Amino acid sequence: MRDLERVVASMAAACSAVGVPLVTGDTKVVDKGKGDGIYVNTSGVGRVRDGVNVGPGRAAVGDAVIVSGPIGDHGSR
């Protein structure tokens, strides 16, 4: 519980620092010994600022892309 409280406090501080609310949570159940620890699932909810163009065409050499499943599962626009 102490680890969880520390992680939640850290998430709250990070959200507060950038002015966004923490709006969702998730739990995971795994077999004992197969993933002992804390799993955190996050989602970002926000608005793209005027003048900012987001999309796959903006990707450039040197950018980091995090993939947690087959590429293209969720699409992009």
Side-chain angles (χ1 to χ4, degrees):
M1 287 306 296
R2 277 182 272 188
D3 287 344
L4 178 59
E5 288 170 357
R6 181 180 51 80
V7 169
V8 170
S10 178
M11 290 187 301
C15 289
S16 178
V18 296
V20 298
L22 183 60
V23 297
T24 187
D26 189 20
T27 59
K28 299 288 179 211
V29 177
V30 296
D31 293 335
K32 186 173 182 169
K34 302 250 176 152
D36 295 340
I38 296 174
Y39 294 83
V40 177
N41 184 18
T42 61
S43 295
V45 178
R47 187 179 325 180
V48 177
R49 293 181 302 226
D50 290 338
V52 175
N53 182 13
V54 178
R58 301 281 299 170
V61 173
D63 286 351
V65 178
I66 299 171
V67 179
S68 62
I71 295 174
D73 256 6
H74 298 84
S76 65
R77 47 181 185 142

